[in-house]
Amino acid sequence: MPEMDTEDFFWLNMGHPLTGKKVLKYLEHCTRNLHLTEWWLCNTTHELEPGTLSFVPKILPIGPLLRSHTKSMGQFWEEDLSCMSWLDQQPHGSVLYVAFGSFTLFDQNQFNELALGLNLTNRPFLWVVREDNKLEYPNEFLGSKGKIVGWAPQQKVLNHPAIACFVTHCGWNSIMEGLSNGVLLLCWPYFADQLYNKTHICDELKVGLGFEKDKNGLVSREVFKMKVEQFFNDENIKSRSMGLKEKVMNNIAKGGPSYENLDRIVKCIKE
């Protein structure tokens, strides 16, 4: 198991100490009762987490679990499908997709830096700004090269050839959707397991980059632009991302490990 920063322990990053204690207690309960089940099913693959899966043989990977024709996993908001026709008009491999899931909240200063960072990149972007967002766009924000929606059909978006990279909060569903489409990941975790996921993507799988925060705890517009440009100029990370996509997707092809695991479960239930 790779070294971990103790400040990243998920129960210390749940927004409220009491919430962290409750989640930790629940996880301890689950772990102590592993022996009560024959298998635990998990949305992952051996290529993504070989160490964990070898350590707990009862975990059967059945991932990636993707929904191409119905709502994205973990969806709470109404999709704006107009973004798909907008993507059709953009050059291949040119668009930044920016989405932080259902719960991430920024303060006004960080929201400003992100908006102005998108300006600085001078690249087309699709930015998901939820309807519950109460923040104001900075006066300098042009947004002329982008499209802003309240929610997007994420799996379809990530599968679109215009998408170049995914600025993500590192929720596991989003990571699985990103990896399954070979999309480069710019990791901006918010809380809980997302901090682990970012480290896993950037330091172990090496298919993503993280953002450094300044002394005020902000990701500055300049750092945002720098990371985006670093991505677009790194052919090695693109190659690794596409190679991992092929391995991950082979798991759910007929005869693949995840396919066989799920088939095994279904047969046992029938029996």
Side-chain angles (χ1 to χ4, degrees):
M1 183 175 182
E3 292 183 0
M4 298 176 67
D5 187 337
T6 54
E7 291 184 357
D8 289 344
F9 285 160
F10 74 89
W11 58 88
L12 302 178
N13 293 278
M14 293 297 295
H16 191 283
L18 183 59
T19 304
K21 288 181 179 179
K22 288 181 178 179
V23 174
L24 178 58
K25 186 176 181 180
Y26 176 69
L27 183 62
E28 289 175 338
H29 167 77
C30 292
T31 305
R32 291 194 183 103
N33 289 281
L34 270 171
H35 65 283
L36 297 178
T37 66
E38 191 168 349
W39 301 301
W40 284 46
L41 309 185
C42 190
N43 181 20
T44 190
T45 72
H46 277 286
E47 292 79 12
L48 297 179
E49 302 181 271
T52 303
L53 293 171
S54 63
F55 186 69
V56 189
K58 282 191 174 186
I59 296 179
L60 286 190
I62 58 171
L65 298 176
L66 305 171
R67 296 185 183 184
S68 300
H69 305 294
T70 58
K71 289 185 176 181
S72 298
M73 298 193 61
Q75 176 175 316
F76 297 93
W77 304 90
E78 188 68 27
E79 294 173 346
D80 184 343
L81 299 179
S82 67
C83 62
M84 300 308 297
S85 56
W86 180 84
L87 285 172
D88 291 339
Q89 301 170 33
Q90 309 307 315
H92 283 205
S94 66
V95 176
L96 306 175
Y97 174 54
V98 185
F100 295 97
S102 301
F103 299 105
T104 302
L105 296 172
F106 288 135
D107 63 18
Q108 186 66 60
N109 290 332
Q110 185 60 87
F111 188 76
N112 290 348
E113 290 299 313
L114 174 56
L116 297 177
L118 287 168
N119 268 355
L120 285 178
T121 66
N122 199 32
R123 295 181 181 275
F125 62 86
L126 173 60
W127 185 10
V128 176
V129 181
R130 298 194 314 265
E131 294 176 6
D132 63 335
N133 176 67
K134 306 300 181 185
L135 305 177
E136 297 182 0
Y137 295 96
N139 293 331
E140 311 97 304
F141 178 61
L142 302 175
S144 55
K145 286 207 167 187
K147 183 173 179 62
I148 298 174
V149 296
W151 199 256
Q154 185 158 285
Q155 176 62 17
K156 293 179 182 178
V157 166
L158 291 171
N159 193 43
H160 197 285
I163 297 296
C165 82
F166 181 14
V167 182
T168 173
H169 66 307
C170 298
W172 191 248
N173 287 330
S174 290
I175 283 181
M176 291 299 284
E177 290 174 339
L179 294 178
S180 298
N181 286 287
V183 175
L184 304 180
L185 300 173
L186 273 171
C187 299
W188 192 330
Y190 178 56
F191 75 153
D193 64 307
Q194 296 164 11
L195 286 82
Y196 303 154
N197 298 342
K198 176 252 183 183
T199 301
H200 190 64
I201 289 297
C202 298
D203 299 341
E204 294 181 59
L205 299 177
K206 300 185 185 303
V207 292
L209 294 175
F211 294 100
E212 295 80 29
K213 295 183 178 181
D214 63 19
K215 60 182 180 181
N216 298 315
L218 298 176
V219 175
S220 70
R221 66 195 78 172
E222 293 82 10
V223 166
F224 185 85
K225 177 190 176 184
M226 179 188 69
K227 291 292 182 176
V228 169
E229 292 307 314
Q230 184 177 343
F231 246 152
F232 274 89
N233 294 317
D234 191 335
E235 291 300 325
N236 290 328
I237 199 169
K238 292 178 184 177
S239 176
R240 287 194 296 271
S241 183
M242 292 307 296
L244 188 58
K245 169 192 174 180
E246 183 177 358
K247 292 178 181 178
V248 167
M249 292 304 289
N250 282 342
N251 280 273
I252 56 175
K254 190 169 184 178
S258 291
Y259 181 97
E260 292 298 320
N261 283 339
L262 191 56
D263 188 55
R264 174 182 170 193
I265 297 296
V266 172
K267 288 178 179 176
C268 285
I269 292 174
K270 288 181 176 179
E271 293 172 0

